[in-house]
């Protein structure tokens, strides 16, 4: 038997047929093409799900369950209560999927939670049941798995660790608070920090690198640091301090087996992870514990979401 | 059948016989009288446990389980790995209790986790299974109950939410980090903030109030605020902002059913809770959710610890 995992994103919709050992048998993809009506989006979800089944050489009778990862908040009845970037307001996603694909068990979860589940079970967690995934992207996404289950809280809105304040009265966050972890540790934040340092240091090599790349990116400061640029070294040191602050906070509160870090910035690999581990080792409250949280790099990339969605049925 | 709950504190040891409806049938108490050897402390724990049983008119044959709440980190084998203020280093607490009290099932947990469990099941939580207790005392203690179980993490050191940084590079914390929530939101922190404001404002009424009380306390700024002292109003506003920052962080990450606030500062009641709720309502990420975390005042006071210890056997 197989399951279908669907990752509904702001840019693309991906569907995958996944086997019981977390292997992706076949995938299909289509642009989300916003703005569109929810009905049209769900028509496309059904279309690419069928296409993925065809590519895998299976039919709906071979499908044990369908899992959907979506931005926003999903309630236990499978209704997407609210998803800002898709314009969703109380969309009966479960019913809309069953209507279009047949009467198969359907499970729907927040996309960051799906990605965390995917990494925990099929990625760097190798089946870990106490696992936090953090994605340093446009924002700071996160999902918490405890006792093998997604922590979604009393209202299915849990796991928003990017919106934990690490700097009271700090820089404004898109969520309305000031000083959120996301406002310091996302790729967007790093780019802003890089731009601010460039403005302060007109002679920094970062100007040259940004010119070559055509823009300031999450790589600009890291690349300039490797060329010993003093301003860039400071940007990277500060950025890593911010990332570490949030990770250490999560460790002190939850002491998971693994914290997994993903997102584009993670292409820096050990350049990022080594100093993060050093911060964690010196700052965690559990300095005397024999067992400690491991800090790891995400392994599944964009597939984490579809794989996590595909195994939602196993963690209910 | 009954259970015994024991609260081993830095100042006192309390034992209570508790029935299956969380009622304390009888209690006994003795000073911890540090510094002492672990053996002597455990002799006293056994002595007051027997005294509590005698007071309750029961014998060890009526006791279904014994629970112990202790400072520090306890592993699954019932060994207290480390408890700084008791000078404990790998103390086989479970075996020491069985040796002294008989072969009864023994469960040992961190004291803040026991207090959280007590409040969740028998206190303001009335059986809540998704519950965070925060105690604003000398430090900021906390315990997390999710899915009815204590979240103690991979190394039993979880739930240290007081040591989540809310201000990167902020004031030093006793744990070695800078900017921990505890360093801003504990009663100790409030007293420090009050003293700093008094120094800056020699004409503040806080000087008079502290003189009357013989010291600066957690009440000084609140009392002066009620007498419209401008410096005191600022102290209280800032303090509440710091307390709210940590609570909102926990809500955004875990969305529990209830966050319960305890400790001496909570005697301020709605003076504290009303503005905290206002912060939470405007700053939580889940503004659109129909169900929201409730903020409540702890109900059990010092009994939370013994009651929580007494019911540890029910949450394994």
């Amino acid at each position: 038997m197989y399951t279908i995992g669907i990752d509904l994103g702001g840019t693309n919709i991906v569907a995958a047929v996944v086997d019981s050992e977390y292997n992706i048998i076949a995938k299909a993809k289509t642009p989300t093409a916003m703005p569109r009506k929810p009905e049209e989006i769900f028509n496309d979800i059904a279309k690419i799900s069928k296409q993925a089944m065809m590519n895998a050489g299976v039919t709906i009778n071979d499908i044990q369950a369908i899992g959907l990862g979506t931005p926003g908040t999903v309630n236990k009845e499978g209704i997407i209560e609210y998803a800002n970037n898709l314009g969703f307001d109380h969309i009966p996603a479960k019913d809309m999927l069953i209507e279009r694909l047949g009467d198969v068990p359907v499970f729907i979860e927040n996309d960051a939670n799906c990605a965390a589940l995917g990494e925990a079970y099929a990625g760097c967690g190798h089946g870990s049941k106490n696992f936090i995934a953090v994605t340093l992207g446009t924002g700071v996404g996160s999902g918490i798995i405890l006792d093998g289950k997604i922590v979604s809280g009393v209202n299915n809105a849990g796991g928003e660790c990017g919106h934990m304040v690490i700097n009271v009265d700090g820089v404004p966050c898109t969520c309305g608070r000031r000083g959120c972890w996301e406002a310091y540790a996302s790729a967007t934040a790093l780019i802003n920090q890089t731009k601010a340092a460039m403005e302060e240091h007109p002679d920094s090599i970062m100007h040259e690198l940004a010119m070559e790349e055509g823009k300031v990116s999450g790589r600009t400061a890291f690349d300039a640091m490797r060329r010993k640029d003093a301003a860039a070294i400071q940007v990277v040191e500060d950025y890593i301090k911010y990332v570490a602050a949030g990770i250490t906070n999560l460790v002190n509160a939850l002491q998971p087996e693994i914290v997994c870090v993903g997102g584009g910035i993670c292409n820096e690999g050990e350049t990022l992870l080594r100093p993060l581990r050093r911060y964690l080792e010196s700052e965690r409250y559990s300095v005397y514990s024999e067992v400690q949280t491991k800090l790891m790099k995400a392994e599944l990339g964009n597939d984490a979401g579809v794989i996590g969605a595909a195994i939602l049925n196993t963690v209910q």
Side-chain angles (χ1 to χ4, degrees), chain A:
Chain A
M1 290 290 273
Y2 301 93
T3 58
I4 295 176
I6 303 157
D7 186 7
L8 170 55
T11 310
N12 286 304
I13 312 170
V14 183
V17 173
V18 174
D19 72 12
S20 59
E21 277 159 349
Y22 315 132
N23 301 303
I24 293 178
I25 305 301
K27 260 203 282 199
K29 186 170 157 177
T30 192
T32 315
M34 293 300 297
R36 280 203 293 171
K37 284 192 186 149
E39 288 74 18
E40 293 169 29
I41 293 176
F42 277 81
N43 287 344
D44 265 5
I45 288 177
K47 199 177 77 186
I48 60 157
S49 296
K50 287 171 186 168
Q51 199 180 316
M53 284 191 278
M54 206 171 67
N55 295 349
V58 302
T59 73
I60 193 73
N61 298 324
D62 302 307
I63 301 299
Q64 200 173 0
I66 298 171
L68 168 67
T70 170
T73 311
V74 189
N75 70 22
K76 299 290 177 216
E77 285 75 47
I79 292 165
I80 304 174
E81 291 188 348
Y82 188 76
N84 185 36
N85 57 348
L86 296 176
F88 283 2
D89 186 355
H90 288 81
I91 297 302
K94 184 177 167 178
D95 292 346
M96 289 170 84
L97 279 177
I98 291 173
E99 218 171 82
R100 286 163 175 79
L101 286 167
D103 197 8
V104 175
V106 169
F107 303 90
I108 310 184
E109 253 296 343
N110 172 271
D111 52 0
N113 289 345
C114 285
L117 188 66
E119 281 291 347
Y121 280 63
C124 71
H126 294 288
S128 172
K129 295 197 179 308
N130 289 287
F131 185 95
I132 300 177
V134 172
T135 306
L136 309 173
T138 311
V140 172
S142 67
I144 304 171
I145 313 292
L146 291 182
D147 243 350
K149 288 182 181 174
I150 293 168
V151 174
S152 55
V154 72
N155 50 14
N156 311 295
E160 291 291 350
C161 304
H163 300 284
M164 302 177 79
V165 161
I166 61 161
N167 215 349
V168 170
D169 296 331
V171 299
C173 180
T174 54
C175 77
R177 294 185 90 183
R178 296 187 81 95
C180 285
W181 190 26
E182 169 163 311
Y184 289 88
S186 63
T188 315
L190 172 58
I191 291 168
N192 290 339
Q193 291 153 15
T194 304
K195 284 178 181 167
M198 286 167 68
E199 206 158 304
E200 251 185 73
H201 301 277
D203 54 341
S204 161
I205 205 173
M206 293 190 282
H207 291 277
E208 195 182 307
L209 295 178
M211 199 94 81
E212 279 170 24
E213 203 186 337
K215 65 179 179 190
V216 177
S217 77
R219 278 209 317 271
T220 311
F222 277 95
D223 285 344
M225 173 195 74
R226 278 182 277 270
R227 290 165 70 169
K228 317 276 187 229
D229 182 81
I233 290 170
Q234 193 60 53
V235 169
V236 170
E237 279 181 1
D238 287 345
Y239 175 73
I240 288 175
K241 180 175 69 181
Y242 298 135
V243 175
I247 290 174
T248 310
N249 282 358
L250 291 173
V251 169
N252 283 351
L254 300 172
Q255 298 283 349
E257 188 187 354
I258 294 168
V259 171
C260 146
V261 188
I265 306 288
C266 279
N267 294 332
E268 294 294 336
E270 287 299 310
T271 308
L272 177 71
L273 289 176
R274 201 175 311 113
L276 285 179
R277 283 196 200 98
R278 260 202 310 266
Y279 268 109
L280 188 55
E281 277 158 25
S282 73
E283 297 225 333
R284 65 187 153 205
Y285 195 69
S286 58
V287 278
Y288 295 101
S289 294
E290 286 152 23
V291 182
Q292 300 284 7
T293 301
K294 289 190 208 83
L295 191 68
M296 300 183 82
K297 194 182 156 194
E299 286 179 3
L300 300 181
N302 289 333
D303 286 340
V306 277
I307 294 177
I311 59 180
L312 281 172
N313 64 314
T314 66
V315 297
Q316 302 300 311

